[in-house]
Amino acid sequence: MSGTYRKLEKLSDLDDLIYQRNDNFFHSPDEIRTLRTKYILESFKHHLVKNEKYKVYAETLGVNIEEIQSDKELHNIPLIPSKLFKVQKITGIKDEEVAKVCTSSGTKGSISKVYRDEVTLERFLGGMQNIIDSLLELDDAYCVNLGPDTEEAGDLWFSYVMSLISMIFPTSNLVKEGNFYPDEAVKEIKNSILKYENIVIVGAPAMFLELFQYMKKSDQVVHGCNNILCLTAGGWKRAQGQALSRKELFCELESVFHGIKSENFRDILNMVELNSIFCECHKHKKHVPIWTKIIVLDPITLMPVPDGEEGILAFLDSSAESYPAFVLTDDIAKMESCKKCKCGRTSDIVDIVRRVKDNDARGCALKIDAKYCKKEGYND
Amino acid sequence: MTSNYAEEVINIEDTDGSVIHCVFNYINEEDRPLIVIPSQYEKTIRTNLMLMLYLVNNGFNVLRYDNRNHNGNSTGKILDFTLKSAIEDLSIVMNYVQRELSYTKEQLGIVGISISNKVVMEYLKKIENRVSVYVSLVGVVNMQHTLEAIAGFDAVKEKKSDKEHILGVHKLLSYEIDWDNFVTDMLELKLEDVNSSLEAVEQIDIPVYAIVAEKDNWVNMDEVDIVLKRCIHVKGKHVLQGATHELYKNPESAKTAMRQILLNVREHWNMGSSSLVLPDIMDMIAHNKEERQREKLYMREE
């Protein structure tokens, strides 16, 4: 290119990774470790400068950034217990820079608040697009969201994330003014199944169950569903406490959506404190994007456990600018680090086993269940 | 927060009964310039929502439209998309805004994005079509190169070497098109290579601004250089550092580009140097909902 162009603002390497790269799941393990270490350390430095409370916290713990150089030392970055987001305002930005206050469900009365600025929210959206492109590989798709639109979702992060899919695909939202309309959902699916290459149905597992029960009760089936992709998110417990079986739900859906493939039944993991989504591939493995590292820690020593062993899930997400997304969660998980999956992709792979405390089940799905699902007629 | 503006849906009917679906966003002030934005290949009116918000919030009226034989709410399917039909669409829309909305050529500008750059250059090369200013964003100048970069094979070469060779129906990016129809039409119009861009640009005697992506994977920057050097009225050349072609996936570079487009057209119409109103992601999300609703309302059953 000749030198006569006026140069405009340069895109950062991290933004290049999130917005423009389509090879994020095709690096070697060494490349993954090198790249994510670079971005996570840059993010750590950023939060030490921007967030006085976090800096003091790191100093109190005696953490010296100079001593963290490699991927295997990243677990020394001070982690914020997710419960702290319920009691502290954890952000390094001014009030006027807050684009959205994102909240958890607060089923137990306490609500986590995460303050996202424009950059953080844009990266979340960009990362979502990147991961959908990379893991779902959908071209022409129509989305049926078994939840509310962005406006009705308000600050509740789970519903908001689900509704943001309308930024990517044409979408119909089936929760309106607090009511779920399964009849309209079926109509939307039937109307669009021949028009679009793919139909994406997204929602909490309980909403899928609600849809199934309506279809069963009204004796409805949809044929030719090999192009339907079901994306569940938000957890697998009902408001009444009982666990939902993923296998059973798929069998039930299979009985009303004829031709649907089990490989197209995918689960997504996100938490209000996490600025990325972990989406399943067709082998049902949840892949962690390259800008985020997950660590599974021994509950007593808080040291990383070997791959495949259960422990407390922590994540280091470099895409958040407005708050340190270095979080110790309430989830028990297992992981495989920089694993080459049978699907051909290489990344950290995470599997959530349960919550740390049984009586504090994952709140988002519970809130959705309690709010939108009928309380009678379930036989699960 | 964005300011108030009005919106009008305009369905322009052609003599054959087909319709070009347009969305006209305007502020209730007299003598505001109008920027026309044709949809880029595969995209629709909604794709250029953010650009519309940038322009309308800073004193410009905007008309976006869906091409016929394309995605969106105009007549026809993308399977039948051709450059010829896209050039006709632009011509019909420009005639409409002058005739029905009473804009003079001095009040009109066009932003051409990606493949639409070829469409706009072809339109502007005719004397009677000249508008006041043209802004090209990641403009394609060599269709053969771009098509090969996207599709991974040289359709133009294959068709040129054997007219009877069947290219078939398959995807260009996310959607299936009739490649035989598309490439044959392009060859008939002689729009396939960089020479057609050179020929067009030599005839365009209005101010031209160009914004290019430094790492454009679909456009050869050396060829862009050659084309812009041939254009005698280039008023500004800007490069989005680190950006690739698909700006709609890259909000950071897209914002930089939109800010620059805004600065270019403000400079062109001497609209002062008051501070810019820059919409943010929350504006985009809020307006996206309305755009989706309108999209659905005007969807064609074909």
Side-chain angles (χ1 to χ4, degrees):
Chain A
M1 194 188 295
S2 79
T4 55
Y5 290 84
R6 251 196 65 207
K7 290 178 180 172
L8 300 174
E9 208 169 303
K10 190 175 183 335
L11 190 71
S12 74
D13 290 346
L14 178 60
D15 285 338
D16 177 44
L17 205 69
I18 294 172
Y19 299 134
Q20 302 194 134
R21 299 290 290 268
N22 55 13
D23 59 352
N24 284 331
F25 290 109
F26 296 96
H27 293 289
S28 70
D30 280 346
E31 286 168 338
I32 292 172
R33 289 185 189 104
T34 305
L35 277 168
R36 72 182 178 197
T37 301
K38 174 179 184 285
Y39 297 117
I40 289 167
L41 283 179
E42 280 175 7
S43 175
F44 181 37
K45 280 179 199 164
H46 166 86
H47 294 298
L48 288 177
V49 171
K50 293 279 179 185
N51 192 319
E52 186 59 28
K53 273 188 199 169
Y54 185 69
K55 185 185 162 199
V56 171
Y57 177 53
E59 282 170 358
T60 308
L61 293 175
V63 175
N64 180 356
I65 191 165
E66 304 303 327
E67 289 170 8
I68 303 172
Q69 300 285 333
S70 67
D71 186 72
K72 63 182 178 192
E73 291 161 338
L74 291 177
H75 70 272
N76 291 319
I77 289 176
L79 296 170
I80 302 169
S82 56
K83 282 193 169 54
L84 264 191
F85 286 87
K86 296 178 194 292
V87 293
Q88 292 268 356
K89 188 174 179 179
I90 300 170
T91 179
I93 57 171
K94 295 175 191 148
D95 287 350
E96 60 268 27
E97 292 171 312
V98 175
K100 190 162 185 70
V101 181
C102 311
T103 65
S104 65
S105 52
T107 46
K108 296 283 171 190
S110 49
I111 292 174
S112 297
K113 285 186 180 172
V114 176
Y115 297 82
R116 285 181 163 87
D117 64 358
E118 185 164 4
V119 170
T120 306
L121 204 52
E122 277 176 353
R123 284 183 182 161
F124 177 80
L125 249 174
M128 189 160 105
Q129 164 108 48
N130 187 313
I131 288 161
I132 284 175
D133 287 351
S134 307
L135 280 150
L136 304 182
E137 297 175 296
L138 301 171
D139 287 334
D140 177 27
Y142 184 80
C143 181
V144 176
N145 175 19
L146 308 179
D149 66 22
T150 44
E151 200 176 319
E152 192 171 340
D155 293 336
L156 182 63
W157 183 241
F158 170 81
S159 298
Y160 192 69
V161 167
M162 288 307 202
S163 68
L164 282 177
I165 206 153
S166 70
M167 298 292 286
I168 301 173
F169 302 121
T171 302
S172 51
N173 302 290
L174 279 310
V175 167
K176 292 163 194 165
E177 293 171 0
N179 297 308
F180 176 48
Y181 294 94
D183 51 337
E184 277 188 37
V186 177
K187 207 184 289 174
E188 286 286 348
I189 293 164
K190 283 182 175 171
N191 283 345
S192 47
I193 200 157
L194 292 176
K195 247 189 243 174
Y196 295 85
E197 196 177 318
N198 300 100
I199 306 299
V200 183
I201 311 175
V202 298
M207 301 306 283
F208 277 92
L209 185 63
E210 179 88 357
L211 177 63
F212 159 73
Q213 289 182 335
Y214 163 78
M215 291 174 75
K216 197 177 159 191
K217 203 172 169 183
S218 56
D219 205 19
Q220 295 202 54
V221 292
V222 184
H223 296 283
C225 299
N226 60 342
N227 64 341
I228 287 186
L229 186 87
C230 295
L231 292 180
T232 55
W236 288 82
K237 278 210 168 180
R238 301 294 311 274
Q240 297 93 331
Q242 71 273 40
L244 270 168
S245 158
R246 181 174 168 158
K247 201 175 164 187
E248 276 173 30
L249 180 60
F250 178 71
C251 287
E252 288 170 337
L253 290 174
E254 204 179 17
S255 70
V256 287
F257 292 113
H258 291 176
I260 195 168
K261 298 175 188 164
S262 76
E263 66 181 46
N264 285 346
F265 194 58
R266 315 269 188 99
D267 196 47
I268 290 176
L269 175 68
N270 178 254
M271 308 168 189
V272 67
E273 305 89 356
L274 178 62
N275 205 47
S276 306
I277 59 170
F278 301 161
C279 180
E280 279 185 1
C281 65
H282 69 279
K283 297 288 181 189
H284 298 301
K285 299 288 184 191
K286 283 194 180 76
H287 288 269
V288 177
I290 194 166
W291 54 86
T292 300
K293 176 182 168 69
I294 54 166
I295 312 167
V296 174
L297 300 166
D298 182 292
I300 310 294
T301 65
L302 288 184
M303 291 300 287
V305 300
D307 272 13
E309 283 189 17
E310 288 185 9
I312 304 177
L313 177 70
F315 57 80
L316 304 164
D317 186 337
S318 64
S319 69
E321 275 217 351
S322 54
Y323 69 98
F326 308 143
V327 177
L328 182 68
T329 73
D330 290 335
D331 289 296
I332 299 291
K334 292 189 287 190
M335 71 168 290
E336 295 173 282
S337 181
C338 298
K339 169 86 175 171
K340 174 133 192 186
C341 177
K342 284 180 185 163
C343 73
R345 299 173 183 87
T346 302
S347 75
D348 282 357
I349 291 170
V350 64
D351 179 19
I352 303 287
V353 180
R354 63 178 185 278
R355 299 284 277 187
V356 170
K357 287 179 188 172
D358 279 341
N359 64 350
D360 192 16
R362 183 164 293 289
C364 289
L366 300 188
K367 179 134 183 172
I368 297 292
D369 190 1
K371 206 170 168 187
Y372 303 127
C373 293
K374 287 181 181 150
K375 298 298 168 287
E376 68 281 351
Y378 291 168
N379 295 308
D380 53 352
Chain B
M1 208 55 167
T2 55
S3 58
N4 287 332
Y5 59 86
E7 178 166 298
E8 187 182 334
V9 170
I10 300 168
N11 285 313
I12 307 173
E13 199 172 320
D14 198 5
T15 48
D16 63 358
S18 63
V19 167
I20 303 171
H21 179 74
C22 312
V23 174
F24 178 40
N25 298 104
Y26 59 97
I27 41 181
N28 283 316
E29 286 175 38
E30 283 179 6
D31 297 329
R32 292 292 172 176
L34 174 72
I35 309 291
V36 174
I37 312 172
S39 294
Q40 49 273 49
Y41 170 74
E42 195 183 83
K43 305 301 178 210
T44 64
I45 286 169
R46 195 190 64 90
T47 315
N48 294 313
L49 164 64
M50 198 64 165
L51 179 54
M52 180 278 285
L53 291 175
Y54 265 67
L55 291 164
V56 167
N57 277 281
N58 290 282
F60 295 89
N61 295 338
V62 174
L63 188 134
R64 297 170 287 160
Y65 68 90
D66 289 329
N67 287 304
R68 284 178 296 181
N69 305 316
H70 198 263
N71 290 337
N73 291 338
S74 295
T75 309
K77 292 182 173 167
I78 194 167
L79 182 75
D80 302 316
F81 180 68
T82 60
L83 290 181
K84 185 182 178 185
S85 111
I87 295 163
E88 281 172 8
D89 291 345
L90 178 59
S91 181
I92 290 169
V93 169
M94 297 308 287
N95 286 340
Y96 181 91
V97 297
Q98 290 170 77
R99 201 181 57 242
E100 303 295 328
L101 302 179
S102 306
Y103 281 95
T104 63
K105 286 193 164 72
E106 292 69 35
Q107 292 176 299
L108 291 171
I110 306 178
V111 176
I113 305 167
S114 186
I115 286 177
S116 293
N117 183 55
K118 285 295 291 181
V119 172
V120 179
M121 286 202 302
E122 203 53 26
Y123 170 79
L124 289 176
K125 78 180 190 187
K126 291 181 184 162
I127 294 170
E128 65 271 23
N129 290 346
R130 304 288 153 74
V131 294
S132 185
V133 64
Y134 173 49
V135 184
S136 161
L137 176 60
V138 293
V140 167
V141 294
N142 181 343
M143 287 298 295
Q144 184 173 9
H145 173 88
T146 298
L147 290 175
E148 189 180 359
I150 295 170
F153 73 105
D154 193 343
V156 170
K157 189 179 169 189
E158 285 181 22
K159 202 68 174 177
K160 266 184 164 175
S161 62
D162 178 7
K163 265 189 186 175
E164 302 305 314
H165 176 69
I166 304 291
L167 294 167
V169 171
H170 48 95
K171 282 186 175 179
L172 175 58
L173 291 174
S174 299
Y175 297 89
E176 286 188 334
I177 64 162
D178 180 338
W179 280 77
D180 294 292
N181 192 27
F182 182 71
V183 174
T184 303
D185 162 84
M186 193 167 63
L187 292 175
E188 280 173 9
L189 293 174
K190 296 188 172 62
L191 291 179
E192 75 277 14
D193 58 17
V194 73
N195 290 327
S196 60
S197 297
L198 289 168
E199 189 205 319
V201 88
E202 279 175 347
Q203 296 169 65
I204 297 174
D205 61 355
I206 59 166
V208 173
Y209 293 90
I211 301 168
V212 301
E214 186 185 33
K215 294 182 180 171
D216 200 319
N217 35 346
W218 295 345
V219 176
N220 181 331
M221 281 303 124
D222 293 335
E223 289 183 336
V224 174
D225 274 349
I226 295 167
V227 170
L228 290 175
K229 274 177 190 158
R230 194 73 69 87
C231 178
I232 48 169
H233 292 281
V234 176
K235 292 273 284 181
K237 293 196 287 184
H238 295 89
V239 59
L240 300 162
Q241 293 188 85
T244 58
H245 192 88
E246 291 181 284
L247 293 177
Y248 76 98
K249 288 184 179 177
N250 174 2
E252 274 310 303
S253 298
K255 280 193 290 186
T256 306
M258 286 180 275
R259 202 161 48 232
Q260 190 55 47
I261 290 172
L262 195 50
L263 290 170
N264 292 341
V265 290
R266 269 170 51 135
E267 176 187 88
H268 175 73
W269 274 291
N270 294 317
M271 289 176 70
S273 55
S274 58
S275 59
L276 300 175
V277 179
L278 302 177
D280 62 20
I281 180 103
M282 295 309 290
D283 294 317
M284 174 79 174
I285 290 169
H287 288 284
N288 177 66
K289 180 186 164 183
E290 294 156 17
E291 297 264 317
R292 287 289 193 205
Q293 285 169 341
R294 192 193 56 238
E295 234 171 32
K296 202 167 181 173
L297 188 65
Y298 288 92
M299 189 177 281
R300 285 181 184 281
E301 297 294 336
E302 288 177 306

